[in-house]
Amino acid sequence: MRLTPILLSLVTVSLAAPANYFDDAYDFSDELSDYYSKVSQYINRVKKSTSPSASCDTSKISLPSFASGLPAPNGTKPMYVALGRGTQNYTCADSTSASTPFAIGAVANLYNATCLAANYPDLLESLPNIAYKISLPTTEYATFPPANLELIGHHFFTSTIPEFNLDTTEAKQFGVALTKKESSLNAPSTAVKGEYGAVAWLYLSTIEGTVGNYKGVYRVNTASGSPPDTCEKMPSSFEIQYSAVYYFYGS
Ligand SMILES: *[C@@H]1O[C@H](CO)[C@@H](O)[C@H](O)[C@H]1NC(C)=O
Ligand SMILES: *[C@@H]1O[C@H](CO)[C@@H](O)[C@H](O)[C@H]1NC(C)=O
Ligand SMILES: *[C@@H]1O[C@H](CO)[C@@H](O)[C@H](O)[C@H]1NC(C)=O
């Protein structure tokens, strides 16, 4: 039931905002204008439709086609889809070109994009391209602009284990996926690179300790997040902003 308000608020924002607002806030780009033009098309379609499908039928969810380079979900089913927004963290042994950045994990908020994935997958596909430049809300449970998505969890590393914790409030306990990287795929050449490149697409399987029916997690539609090739002039630890879409599959 949420889709129409989401889309309408997007359009309201874009119509209300003067062009230079986006210049300052989001670095107006071709991606962004493409995004908003898609939104307008969807709005028109929703308006024309006599029975606008505002449902979140997870059986309609499928991975973007480029993810066919990762292990297929086989018998598992899509459970949730989340927009991830945060940082990839790295360390450098020194500040010379002789050493390379070492990935120490990610810290990201996860926002509920299940409805978008079920109904408007290509809209969701381009969302990380602008999301990685948008600051996280300072209030913990605030929705994430520009699509007003609700917080559904947090992604972080517990020592070296990628964790997706979908328990937020007392009323919203959706479990915890503890994972292990199984497979990675270089982001497509069309990915938005940010300063140094988009992080790889991934397939992670769940491991012991997982709470809930999660079997696998896909990280796709990545934007930015990669480190420079070498540590030249880099500090001993640093963060690179990124965004991605996470698909949670299970039984
Ligand atoms: C699904 O099955 C195919 C074919 O056996 C296999 O290559 C792939 O790794 C499987 N996917 C997962 C997530 O295990
Ligand atoms: C990674 O960066 C975040 C800030 O985005 C910080 O809060 C966190 O402590 C860092 N984690 C590690 C392991 O350095
Ligand atoms: C995500 O949003 C949909 C639609 O509002 C809702 O049905 C679903 O329960 C939400 N999922 C989580 C994990 O909050």
Side-chain angles (χ1 to χ4, degrees):
M1 304 309 112
R2 299 178 38 81
L3 200 61
T4 305
I6 287 170
L7 293 173
L8 288 176
S9 76
L10 266 168
V11 162
T12 310
V13 166
S14 78
L15 292 180
N20 63 359
Y21 172 79
F22 288 113
D23 278 334
D24 291 339
Y26 307 147
D27 274 344
F28 191 83
S29 63
D30 288 348
E31 287 88 28
L32 185 57
S33 60
D34 181 41
Y35 177 76
Y36 280 101
S37 95
K38 279 185 184 170
V39 171
S40 323
Q41 289 164 26
Y42 287 130
I43 295 289
N44 287 332
R45 218 186 289 165
V46 169
K47 275 189 196 152
K48 275 185 207 141
S49 166
T50 46
S51 59
S53 159
S55 75
C56 301
D57 180 358
T58 52
S59 72
K60 289 195 290 180
I61 293 173
S62 59
L63 290 163
S65 56
F66 188 77
S68 61
L70 293 170
N74 298 334
T76 62
K77 299 188 183 83
M79 295 170 69
Y80 303 113
V81 179
L83 175 76
R85 171 70 184 92
T87 65
Q88 296 284 331
N89 296 9
Y90 300 93
T91 55
C92 269
D94 56 41
S95 300
T96 74
S97 61
S99 44
T100 51
F102 179 74
I104 54 164
V107 182
N109 280 5
L110 301 171
Y111 293 95
N112 190 352
T114 311
C115 281
L116 274 183
N119 295 287
Y120 300 107
D122 48 346
L123 183 60
L124 176 61
E125 202 166 317
S126 58
L127 189 52
N129 298 350
I130 56 167
Y132 84 97
K133 286 185 178 169
I134 301 176
S135 300
L136 286 175
T138 47
T139 316
E140 168 72 355
Y141 293 109
T143 58
F144 185 71
N148 294 326
L149 301 178
E150 284 175 7
L151 188 80
I152 60 163
H154 297 93
H155 172 43
F156 49 89
F157 279 59
T158 303
S159 82
T160 58
I161 297 173
E163 173 167 346
F164 300 85
N165 191 319
L166 274 64
D167 294 340
T168 48
T169 63
E170 238 169 76
K172 294 185 172 180
Q173 300 283 306
F174 292 98
V176 178
L178 300 183
T179 65
K180 169 167 81 97
K181 182 163 82 180
E182 295 282 359
S183 180
S184 89
L185 178 67
N186 285 341
S189 57
T190 50
V192 166
K193 293 176 178 57
E195 207 170 347
Y196 304 112
V199 285
W201 292 26
L202 301 178
Y203 170 68
L204 309 125
S205 65
T206 55
I207 61 171
E208 204 186 324
T210 291
V211 181
N213 298 327
Y214 302 104
K215 297 286 184 241
V217 181
Y218 291 85
R219 180 179 80 184
V220 302
N221 300 140
T222 54
S224 185
S226 287
D229 288 340
T230 79
C231 287
E232 191 174 7
K233 299 195 178 121
M234 295 308 287
S236 58
S237 73
F238 61 95
E239 298 153 8
I240 305 284
Q241 303 297 319
Y242 90 108
S243 180
V245 179
Y246 292 92
Y247 283 73
F248 296 87
Y249 275 76
S251 53

